[in-house]
Amino acid sequence: MRRRVMPDLNPLVKRLDELIRETLPGLQYAIKWGKVYYGLPNLGWIIELAAYDVSVNVVFLSGTDFENPPPLGEGRSRYVKLKSPGEAEALEIRQWIEQAGRMPGWK
């Protein structure tokens, strides 16, 4: 996915990918419609990364079930828009990734 992302967003996408993989061992991933999906065998697809021109959306597919859900979204999914690698280091990003690893996603 990173080769098709706007060059300014490559460091952000790389850092988010690292963070998700570090936090959730045993991940599977797939790329569909230009988006990256991360999943766990027993939970289904739990996180989606979608890169746009100036931001990357980190979508938590069961975000409404989180203790402190991300602020954006409709239905069961919630997401955040990030614009820089520094934003990926926010404590709540890691907490949301950890929570995603405990909640059923899309199967």
Side-chain angles (χ1 to χ4, degrees):
M1 175 178 164
R2 284 187 286 155
R3 283 179 269 155
R4 298 176 60 184
V5 172
M6 296 296 285
D8 291 345
L9 294 178
N10 275 330
L12 173 56
V13 170
K14 180 179 181 204
R15 181 59 191 133
L16 287 167
D17 181 71
E18 291 169 351
L19 186 59
I20 293 167
R21 289 170 186 259
E22 289 167 7
T23 306
L24 301 173
L27 275 176
Q28 298 174 337
Y29 66 93
I31 299 173
K32 187 172 185 177
W33 301 309
K35 299 175 183 178
V36 178
Y37 292 87
Y38 297 88
L40 292 168
N42 58 331
L43 296 176
W45 301 109
I46 56 174
I47 298 172
E48 170 191 300
L49 283 186
Y52 298 101
D53 288 342
V54 297
S55 66
V56 176
N57 289 359
V58 184
V59 182
F60 300 94
L61 302 175
S62 59
T64 57
D65 298 332
F66 291 2
E67 291 173 23
N68 180 23
L72 304 171
E74 295 179 4
R76 191 166 172 232
S77 298
R78 291 292 180 265
Y79 69 95
V80 289
K81 285 182 177 285
L82 304 178
K83 295 182 180 180
S84 72
E87 290 177 318
E89 302 305 326
L91 179 60
E92 57 266 353
I93 300 297
R94 186 176 294 271
Q95 290 172 339
W96 289 328
I97 293 169
E98 289 170 353
Q99 289 181 67
R102 297 189 301 265
M103 311 257 174
W106 292 351
K107 293 196 178 196

